[in-house]
Structures are given as C-alpha cells and as structure tokens.
Amino acid sequence: MTDYGAVVLAQPDVFVAYDPPAGDDVAWRDADGTSTQADLLAGAAGAGVVAAGGRLLTDVNPCTRAGAVTLLGPLVAGAGVVWVRHPDAAGWDRRAEQERATDRLRQAD
C-alpha cells in the first residue's frame, strides 16, 4: 500500500539537472556536423516560427535538424506547439482553427 497523496503529489513539477548542459556542449550531431546548445537555441530564437505566447501547428519532425526549431522555437518564445503526423492537406486550415494555432509550419513549406 502506497499513499498516493504523500508520495506522488509531494513531488515537484520542476526538473533540475544534476549537471546542466553548458552553451558550448554539443547538443546535435549528424552527418552534416555538430551544433552546440547555444547554436540550437540561437537558431530557434532567430527562426521566428511562432510568436511569443502563440501556438504553432506543424508537421515537421522535431527529431530532425530542420525540425529542431519546432521543438525549441516555442520553448524560447514561451509558446505552444501541436505536431501533426500525416496531415490532410485539404483539412490543414480547419485543423489550424480547431487547434487555435496562431502560426503554421508545413514540411512542404
């Protein structure tokens, strides 16, 4: 028997890394080279994929170099993101309205 209220609810909603990454630490490595933490964050901030406090609708895979801005851009801007896999092109505008998206980024764009 475990007291859910005492064990689970007592845990903080904050993650504090034991060894947080530094700006010059490598954050991305692929066939095209490497990027540091600072490089990725600066690129995301400069990409302008979503307005501050907005909501990005995208089908760009965040696990790719090109898609890293869809993950980091909203974090840097204090915004939200909705990823859609295999979107219906004819229904994209309807989906954006349903999701209350302020910004959109399509893989084909």
Side-chain angles (χ1 to χ4, degrees), residues 32-99:
D32 294 329
T34 61
S35 295
T36 65
Q37 295 282 340
D39 293 338
L40 289 180
L41 291 174
V49 295
V50 64
R55 188 170 169 96
L56 174 66
L57 176 67
T58 185
D59 64 344
V60 179
N61 184 348
C63 297
T64 63
R65 182 179 285 272
V69 297
T70 67
L71 174 66
L72 298 174
L75 290 173
V76 170
V81 63
V82 176
W83 284 282
V84 179
R85 186 173 179 199
H86 306 299
D88 172 23
W92 189 252
D93 290 336
R94 181 176 43 80
R95 174 69 65 109
E97 183 179 324
Q98 289 172 338
E99 297 291 350

Side-chain angles (χ1 to χ4, degrees), residues 3-55:
D3 182 352
Y4 178 83
V7 175
V8 176
L9 297 179
Q11 300 300 316
D13 289 339
V14 176
F15 172 76
V16 179
Y18 176 73
D19 182 21
D24 60 348
D25 287 345
V26 173
W28 190 277
R29 180 178 287 123
D30 62 12
D32 294 329
T34 61
S35 295
T36 65
Q37 295 282 340
D39 293 338
L40 289 180
L41 291 174
V49 295
V50 64
R55 188 170 169 96

